[in-house]
Amino acid sequence: MGILSNIEPKEVFQYFEELSMVPRSTFHTKKISDFCVEFAKAHNLEYIQDEMNNVIIKKPGTAGYEDSDPVIIQGHLDMVATKTTDSDHDFENDPLDLFVDGDLIGAKNTTLGGDDGIAVAYAMAILASTDIPHPPIEAVFTVDEEIGMGGAHHLDTSVLKGKICLNIDSEIEGVMTVGCAGGYIYDTFIPIEWSEESGTKMTISLSNLQGGHSGAEIQKQLGNAHKIMGRVLYALAKDYDFNIVSTNGGNAANVIAQYNTTEIIADPAQAQDIIDAVAGLEQTIYAEFARQEPTLSLKAVSDGETTLKAFDADTTSHVIGFLYGAIDGVQCYDRAFPTAVESSLNTGIVETTEDTVKIKFQVRSSVATKLDDMQNKLDLATDLASASREISGEYPAWSYNADSVIRPKAIELYKELFGKEPTVETTHGGLECGILYGKKNDLDIISFGPDLTGVHTYNERVHIASTQRMWNYLKELLKACK
């Protein structure tokens, strides 16, 4: 018996638990794609699996709905692979270790994959059902959404007949999402010139930040480990002599970085002073967050005297200057909706390789010219660091459709079922809707979903009661699409 066997809605959580047993991190989606194909075969359903691992599963309408227009249910198969620093979980091979805590479902020490496993579980429950009235269903399961939306970019939408698309990749119950920002991935590569250095090797570690989704939670001004580390290194460099040995941290471009570990080699006579200075900076930064980062930990420890290969003085200076000086976070709020973020970027990953320090950003805006402006600023910082750049994973904004048919129907149904108005808004987070609409511009799209919290972090949770309510809502919405 599974961990979720006795939780309602059983038909949804059965498939969510089965999905959780199949590794499905971004760019490692063959296993989960094949799992969907086997599901389709077991239920005698038509399916298409492409070379990217996208899967489309089609089911005829039920009695009375045979001649209705198809409805697309869309979500993505991949999940963000984030874990605690002491976890040995292998996202390419290990199943998730689920647990239930009251109304919450989580995974021990890792992300849960509710984003977007709940969408897939909902769709599978509809596809497997024998007693739920619905029009013809086209379930569209894309891959690699979390980094660049490669699956949606590659998807052949010519095989889809549906014009109504229910994207289930929003994470607050009662919010109907009707538009989203566009964006891209920006990579900076700072070349490393190595030199042999003697001194005290030291490790500066910043950990236990809250983290979060760089689209949905960027406005919270949570701590970004890379930006804080840049600040720490810049402050130390004013008073002490050291070379960087390595700097690493972060899990994905679209995750607000929770940790960074930087190794340096310093003058032995200054080692204790550096430890003390870092302790002082920890107190300062902790106070600045005013308890918003209650578990923030910033430490420097000595690893003993040695001789080793380290960044030369210029490389060290370039890395510190870039980490500290490059733009990050909210850049502008929407002038029409002042509480909504218009433009932002997130320093997601810092990685030291044999030749370069690679810094990966997720850049977002609902205004195309602001995307260009942020690129110009990153280009300037990159040039000042004598570095190179690469842009990838571009996706368009999804614009509000004033003539939508599904939106008013979805809003009215929500009011009937729950006795209150839903919130209708655009999101700063990236959704595949813009790409799908660009490929098939007769699509009428709305995005919704149950409550998910801690998304993109190891604190991710699915809310059980909300999942039940939105399951009932989905069934009624399909019934209304006759």
Side-chain angles (χ1 to χ4, degrees):
M1 180 175 287
I3 297 293
L4 309 183
S5 297
N6 295 318
I7 300 176
E8 296 288 350
K10 290 183 180 179
E11 59 269 59
V12 173
F13 285 121
Q14 169 195 338
Y15 289 113
F16 185 74
E17 185 160 10
E18 290 183 16
L19 291 164
S20 300
M21 299 303 103
V22 185
R24 53 192 173 95
S25 60
T26 304
F27 304 134
H28 301 282
T29 55
K30 177 61 174 169
K31 292 177 182 177
I32 195 65
S33 179
D34 289 345
F35 173 83
C36 294
V37 167
E38 292 306 313
F39 166 89
K41 290 178 179 177
H43 292 87
N44 297 311
L45 298 172
E46 178 186 352
Y47 70 89
I48 301 168
Q49 182 185 38
D50 67 22
E51 62 270 24
M52 282 285 292
N53 296 325
N54 295 314
V55 177
I56 298 172
I57 302 176
K58 298 186 178 184
K59 182 184 181 184
T62 56
Y65 290 82
E66 297 93 338
D67 297 326
S68 299
D69 291 333
V71 171
I72 298 168
I73 301 176
Q74 193 267 321
H76 60 87
L77 293 173
D78 62 310
M79 62 176 282
V80 169
T82 302
K83 60 185 179 180
T84 58
T85 53
D86 59 349
S87 171
D88 60 359
H89 185 87
D90 180 354
F91 279 103
E92 293 185 32
N93 296 293
D94 296 342
L96 299 177
D97 189 1
L98 302 182
F99 66 85
V100 179
D101 179 13
D103 184 53
L104 304 176
I105 298 170
K108 294 177 183 177
N109 300 322
T110 69
T111 35
L112 173 64
D115 175 14
D116 196 22
I118 281 294
V120 181
Y122 276 155
M124 285 184 163
I126 295 291
L127 293 168
S129 68
T130 58
D131 60 352
I132 298 174
H134 61 74
I137 298 296
E138 296 177 324
V140 178
F141 303 144
T142 50
V143 297
D144 301 343
E145 187 270 353
E146 296 292 3
I147 304 176
M149 303 189 186
H153 279 292
H154 188 82
L155 187 73
D156 179 8
T157 57
S158 69
V159 300
L160 300 174
K161 306 304 179 186
K163 295 182 180 179
I164 289 176
C165 178
L166 308 179
N167 169 275
I168 308 177
D169 195 15
S170 292
E171 294 141 10
I172 304 176
E173 180 186 344
V175 172
M176 303 290 172
T177 303
V178 295
C180 73
Y184 54 83
I185 302 294
Y186 188 105
D187 289 316
T188 290
F189 303 90
I190 302 175
I192 300 173
E193 293 293 334
W194 298 97
S195 65
E196 189 174 276
E197 301 291 337
S198 297
T200 298
K201 183 174 178 290
M202 307 184 72
T203 300
I204 305 172
S205 58
L206 176 63
S207 61
N208 298 332
L209 294 171
Q210 298 299 298
H213 190 303
S214 73
E217 298 178 288
I218 198 73
Q219 76 284 354
K220 293 181 179 180
Q221 301 183 92
L222 298 163
N224 183 302
H226 307 316
K227 297 304 296 179
I228 295 173
M229 184 61 74
R231 175 182 176 179
V232 169
L233 295 172
Y234 185 83
L236 293 176
K238 284 187 171 183
D239 297 317
Y240 307 108
D241 296 322
F242 64 87
N243 295 70
I244 295 176
V245 176
S246 67
T247 180
N248 294 284
N251 294 100
N254 57 3
V255 178
I256 301 169
Q258 295 173 279
Y259 64 93
N260 178 290
T261 301
T262 298
E263 297 176 318
I264 65 173
I265 187 163
D267 181 346
Q270 297 180 333
Q272 187 58 52
D273 290 337
I274 289 173
I275 291 172
D276 294 342
V278 170
L281 286 165
E282 180 187 43
Q283 293 179 7
T284 297
I285 294 166
Y286 181 87
E288 289 176 353
F289 277 109
R291 294 186 294 278
Q292 188 188 30
E293 292 288 358
T295 57
L296 179 154
S297 175
L298 174 62
K299 306 294 181 188
V301 298
S302 171
D303 301 321
E305 293 190 34
T306 188
T307 298
L308 49 67
K309 187 172 70 171
F311 301 176
D312 72 1
D314 284 345
T315 303
T316 295
S317 178
H318 288 155
V319 170
I320 293 173
F322 188 89
L323 287 178
Y324 187 45
I327 57 172
D328 181 85
V330 174
Q331 302 297 297
C332 184
Y333 283 87
D334 193 310
R335 285 170 173 78
F337 303 95
T339 59
V341 177
E342 176 201 271
S343 305
S344 77
L345 69 168
N346 176 62
T347 316
I349 297 176
V350 173
E351 179 186 8
T352 301
T353 71
E354 186 62 33
D355 303 315
T356 66
V357 175
K358 178 180 178 181
I359 301 99
K360 183 179 289 289
F361 296 86
Q362 174 72 63
V363 186
R364 308 176 190 268
S365 182
S366 54
V367 179
T369 52
K370 291 296 186 68
L371 289 172
D372 293 340
D373 181 58
M374 288 184 287
Q375 180 185 332
N376 289 339
K377 291 176 180 176
L378 287 174
D379 285 348
L380 175 60
T382 297
D383 290 342
L384 289 172
S386 299
S388 60
R389 81 221 7 125
E390 182 178 292
I391 296 173
S392 62
E394 297 171 271
Y395 59 91
W398 165 34
S399 300
Y400 176 81
N401 176 10
D403 299 320
S404 171
V405 173
I406 188 60
R407 183 179 63 251
K409 186 178 294 187
I411 292 170
E412 188 58 35
L413 176 62
Y414 190 90
K415 289 191 291 185
E416 289 176 11
L417 290 180
F418 304 115
K420 57 184 178 181
E421 290 269 357
T423 300
V424 179
E425 66 180 27
T426 60
T427 178
H428 190 58
L431 293 172
E432 295 163 297
C433 304
I435 297 171
L436 297 178
Y437 181 79
K439 288 172 167 282
K440 184 175 168 61
N441 56 23
D442 60 353
L443 284 180
D444 186 359
I445 312 174
I446 191 167
S447 181
F448 59 90
D451 285 334
L452 306 179
T453 50
V455 171
H456 293 185
T457 79
Y458 46 75
N459 295 314
E460 181 183 6
R461 302 290 184 265
V462 165
H463 293 241
I464 296 169
S466 179
T467 302
Q468 172 77 74
R469 288 190 294 270
M470 294 310 289
W471 168 239
N472 293 335
Y473 176 78
L474 173 61
K475 290 188 292 182
E476 292 299 317
L477 186 57
L478 290 172
K479 189 187 296 186
C481 292
K482 191 166 185 179

